[in-house]
């Protein structure tokens, strides 16, 4: 069975339910993560018992060095949602974007434009 190779961008509190859900999926493998704070991503994955995850200090570094990623969860601060999402889509990676989508209408338009141009899937995490 082929597995989806997933990366996590931002390893704060909202990333925990993303990882917990991914770990329940037999066809998903978490292979990379990024966080601006040195050591935070390593500690996050260790806490969840996930080994062999490559960690980076930025979403760009991760996406530039992980060409086989199928999808990422964007779990960063709201003001960086657009930047991370657009970069991932332009790299040809599907995105699960934590809410809120972004902070301005202009960012929303740019995200939608990037999704259309990429041909990839963008899903916004609005759940009850």
């Amino acid at each position: 069975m082929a597995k989806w190779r997933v990366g996590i961008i931002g390893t704060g509190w909202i990333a925990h339910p993303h990882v917990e859900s991914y770990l329940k999926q037999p066809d998903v493998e978490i292979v990379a993560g990024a966080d601006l704070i040195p050591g935070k991503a390593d500690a996050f994955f260790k806490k969840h018992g996930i080994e062999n995850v490559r960690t980076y200090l930025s979403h760009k570094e991760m996406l530039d060095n992980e060409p086989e990623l199928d999808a990422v969860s964007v779990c960063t601060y709201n003001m960086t949602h657009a930047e991370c999402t657009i970069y991932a889509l332009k790299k040809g990676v599907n995105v699960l974007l934590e809410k809120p989508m972004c902070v301005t209408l202009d960012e929303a338009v740019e995200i939608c434009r990037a999704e259309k141009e990429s041909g990839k899937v963008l899903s916004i995490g609005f759940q009850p």
Side-chain angles (χ1 to χ4, degrees), residues 12-49:
W13 68 274
I14 200 63
H16 292 275
H18 284 251
V19 167
E20 291 166 4
S21 292
Y22 286 136
L23 289 174
K24 293 176 185 174
Q25 307 306 314
D27 59 347
V28 172
E29 179 182 12
I30 300 169
V31 298
D35 200 287
L36 296 173
I37 300 170
K40 187 175 178 186
D42 292 316
F44 174 84
F45 293 114
K46 183 177 180 181
K47 179 179 180 176
H48 286 280

Side-chain angles (χ1 to χ4, degrees), residues 81-96:
H81 282 184
E83 175 187 353
C84 296
T85 299
I86 292 167
Y87 198 81
L89 290 167
K90 287 185 176 185
K91 285 291 194 173
V93 177
N94 299 291
V95 176
L96 174 56

Side-chain angles (χ1 to χ4, degrees), residues 41-89:
D42 292 316
F44 174 84
F45 293 114
K46 183 177 180 181
K47 179 179 180 176
H48 286 280
I50 306 169
E51 299 177 357
N52 301 318
V53 176
R54 290 172 299 283
T55 57
Y56 302 91
L57 292 175
S58 77
H59 68 283
K60 289 182 179 180
E61 183 184 5
M62 183 183 83
L63 289 160
D64 289 347
N65 287 288
E66 298 288 338
E68 301 297 320
L69 282 175
D70 296 300
V72 293
S73 278
V74 176
C75 302
T76 60
Y77 298 109
N78 300 347
M79 66 184 185
T80 63
H81 282 184
E83 175 187 353
C84 296
T85 299
I86 292 167
Y87 198 81
L89 290 167

